[in-house]
Amino acid sequence: MNFLEQKICDEGLVLSSSVLKVDSFLNHQIDPEFMKLIGIEIANRYKSDRITKILTIESSGIAPAVFAGLELGVPVVFARKKKSLTLTEGLLTSKVYSFTKQEQNEISIAEKFMHPGEKVLIIDDFLAHGEAALGLADLVIKANAHISGFGIVIEKSFQEGRKKLEEKGYRVESLARVKEMNTNGITFIQSEVMSS
Ligand code: G4P
């Protein structure tokens, strides 16, 4: 079991067979030391890819993305889910449907922060149905930039997010891949050993 899988087992709460609560270190309270390790691990997997920018989405993708950005020495842009008072011109937008919340959001970034030809690493906290990930990919495509791959903290492998991304030819690196979960426990698809 890697250090993230261990943390999920120690602190995660299985709310149902499809929803995992990890608010003690990822979705509400953030454990900075732990998140730094997560960021370093994602960065290590892409360190030979000459990444020039990281793209994530508010809010829970920001913490792992910032630590990965620190490690790779590149800026981090986060897509907004709501219109911002100051973010009004030169926007790239994409529609994202949330299965969890059963609502459609228009996500956006400023064009000026995503240049044609950039090599972009897309990071998010969860990969579930893959809608947010595909929306972020769409923003990169609209900017004429290149998607180097995805860095995901927790993948729910029993949902179809990874399949959708791989079908499009994208590389997906997930630090923990949940195969199955219920009130008796969580099983993971065997992952690479990560040092902590
Ligand atoms: P998708 O983007 O992969 O299609 O997934 P979905 O619509 O199901 O997810 C919508 C939101 O719910 C996302 O966060 C996603 O990270 C989160 N989510 C999905 N499955 C789980 C889960 O099992 N546990 C937890 N804790 N979150 C899950 P969000 O609403 O955008 O929230 P935030 O980033 O602002 O925290």
Side-chain angles (χ1 to χ4, degrees):
M1 202 178 279
N2 70 40
F3 69 90
L4 173 59
E5 293 165 346
Q6 189 62 58
K7 184 95 161 172
I8 294 168
C9 289
D10 292 345
E11 299 183 21
L13 205 61
V14 178
L15 295 187
S16 72
S17 59
S18 64
V19 180
L20 175 65
K21 186 169 175 168
V22 280
D23 59 353
S24 67
F25 66 94
L26 184 60
N27 292 132
H28 193 21
Q29 172 173 266
I30 290 166
D31 178 336
E33 281 300 332
F34 188 79
M35 205 50 67
K36 186 176 173 186
L37 297 177
I38 295 288
I40 290 171
E41 180 61 31
I42 294 175
N44 280 343
R45 297 190 186 195
Y46 284 93
K47 66 170 175 254
S48 56
D49 289 68
R50 299 176 184 272
I51 302 296
T52 62
K53 191 145 289 178
I54 290 174
L55 177 64
T56 187
I57 183 163
E58 61 177 347
S59 54
S60 301
I62 296 175
V66 166
F67 281 112
L70 190 63
E71 188 66 14
L72 291 173
V74 299
V76 176
V77 177
F78 65 90
R80 291 185 181 268
K81 291 182 198 154
K82 294 242 159 67
K83 288 269 172 295
S84 151
L85 194 64
T86 53
L87 192 64
T88 49
E89 290 164 17
L91 290 185
L92 297 169
T93 61
S94 185
K95 290 202 171 14
V96 170
Y97 179 74
S98 168
F99 282 92
T100 313
K101 295 181 177 165
Q102 299 201 340
E103 63 181 26
Q104 180 137 304
N105 288 306
E106 189 170 70
I107 64 168
S108 53
I109 58 170
E111 220 166 18
K112 65 180 177 185
F113 295 130
M114 189 60 69
H115 306 125
E118 293 224 63
K119 298 191 79 177
V120 183
L121 168 58
I122 298 174
I123 292 182
D124 208 357
D125 58 334
F126 269 90
L127 178 61
H129 298 95
E131 295 296 312
L134 286 171
L136 292 169
D138 187 46
L139 296 179
V140 178
I141 292 165
K142 284 178 173 158
N144 291 315
H146 169 78
I147 299 160
S148 294
F150 290 80
I152 302 294
V153 183
I154 303 174
E155 170 189 316
K156 293 190 291 181
S157 305
F158 52 86
Q159 293 174 332
E160 70 274 25
R162 170 181 282 267
K163 186 166 167 273
K164 285 186 195 167
L165 297 180
E166 287 185 337
E167 274 170 3
K168 291 188 176 291
Y170 298 135
R171 173 179 169 198
V172 182
E173 293 287 340
S174 303
L175 304 198
R177 301 183 65 194
V178 178
K179 185 177 172 190
E180 197 180 0
M181 59 188 189
N182 54 46
T183 42
N184 296 323
I186 304 170
T187 52
F188 297 95
I189 293 175
Q190 192 154 15
S191 55
E192 286 174 39
V193 177
M194 303 187 287
S195 51
S196 63

